[in-house]
Amino acid sequence: MIPFPASDFIVGGVFLLAVATTAAGALIAALSTRIIRSVAGLALCSIGLAGLFYFLGSPFLALMEILIYVGAVCVTIVFAIMLAEPDEPAPEARSSRTVLWGGLALAVSALIFWSLWRLGAQGHWTPPAARVTDGSVKAIGISLLTTYSMAFELISLLLLVAIMGALVVARSGRAKA
Amino acid sequence: MTLLRSYEQPAVFLILAAFLLAVGIFGLIRRRTLVGMLISGELIFAAAMLNLMTFNRFTAPDPTTGQIFVLFIMGLAAAEVAVALSIIIAVYRNYRSVKTKELSELTG
């Protein structure tokens, strides 16, 4: 069987594109001043992450990532922005305090990034001797309803409580306004 | 050529997850509105999911475990966002602001 011409380059290029999308989306989400651009950065980051999940052997989670994050979480945040207009306030005058806090934030995150980089690059991750299942959607469904059935039921209960709690909390202030 | 095959090395995924975590923590410290902090928290969730999926792919004997765990993280994140956004809207109704600096009644 003759492989598709340059398929290695295409697959590698798509992977690098997914990595770049994730990193760029995260940077946009954390650094932009308009909050709506920040949400768009989060959506971009989620799409890149879905591509990475595909490369990690889980098309199911790639689909779920796009459904839940781009389709539900980002849309909900956009609704909250429309209701509350929480734009980032204009940058303050560059006093010594703001510079100190910015430097502290940069130092903390750079330290975490550097140390985790070292840890991840040095570790010898040995592949398992044998795989029990193939990790397909069928295997996921079987173990969701056998081994993890208790956690599955608990998370449905948690989602129900969260929906009702969100309704109650968002309703409570309406009489005063 | 190693760059094109880099999706077979766990270090690439781990470093990207560390980057997402670092960016999320930076945003969490720097943001001055509640919604901005929530978005940075979502980035930290994304870092955790990528990390779990990496170890699921490269070291776990049962590949379904990590996928189910990440699915639960997604459900928890969705529930968290729903509750947090309703709290943010309730706060905005009472204070007419979601800037973290103005949300203080006790002075000290």
Side-chain angles (χ1 to χ4, degrees), chain B residues 66-80:
Chain B
Q67 299 187 41
I68 290 171
F69 208 101
V70 171
L71 192 66
F72 286 163
I73 295 180
M74 283 182 191
L76 282 176
E80 177 245 352

Side-chain angles (χ1 to χ4, degrees), chain B residues 2-3 14 18 25 27-28 33 40 43 59 74 82-83 85 89-90 92 96:
Chain B
T2 54
L3 192 68
L14 293 177
I25 287 178
L28 206 59
T33 61
S40 302
L43 287 180
T59 64
M74 283 182 191
V83 175
L85 284 178
I89 287 173
Y92 181 73
R96 291 285 138 201

Side-chain angles (χ1 to χ4, degrees), chain B residues 12-66:
Chain B
V12 179
F13 294 97
L14 293 177
I15 289 167
L16 188 63
F19 177 75
L20 284 181
L21 175 66
V23 169
I25 287 178
F26 180 77
L28 206 59
I29 300 176
R30 282 299 286 164
R31 284 284 181 191
R32 281 168 294 158
T33 61
L34 292 178
V35 177
M37 293 170 77
L38 184 69
I39 291 172
S40 302
E42 291 301 314
L43 287 180
I44 297 176
F45 270 120
M49 288 192 293
L50 185 57
N51 218 335
L52 276 170
M53 271 308 288
T54 307
F55 286 118
N56 179 51
R57 160 78 173 75
F58 290 104
T59 64
D62 185 1
T64 59
T65 315

Side-chain angles (χ1 to χ4, degrees), chain B residues 3-14:
Chain B
L3 192 68
L4 285 178
R5 309 285 288 177
S6 55
Y7 56 88
E8 288 170 357
Q9 300 159 6
V12 179
F13 294 97
L14 293 177

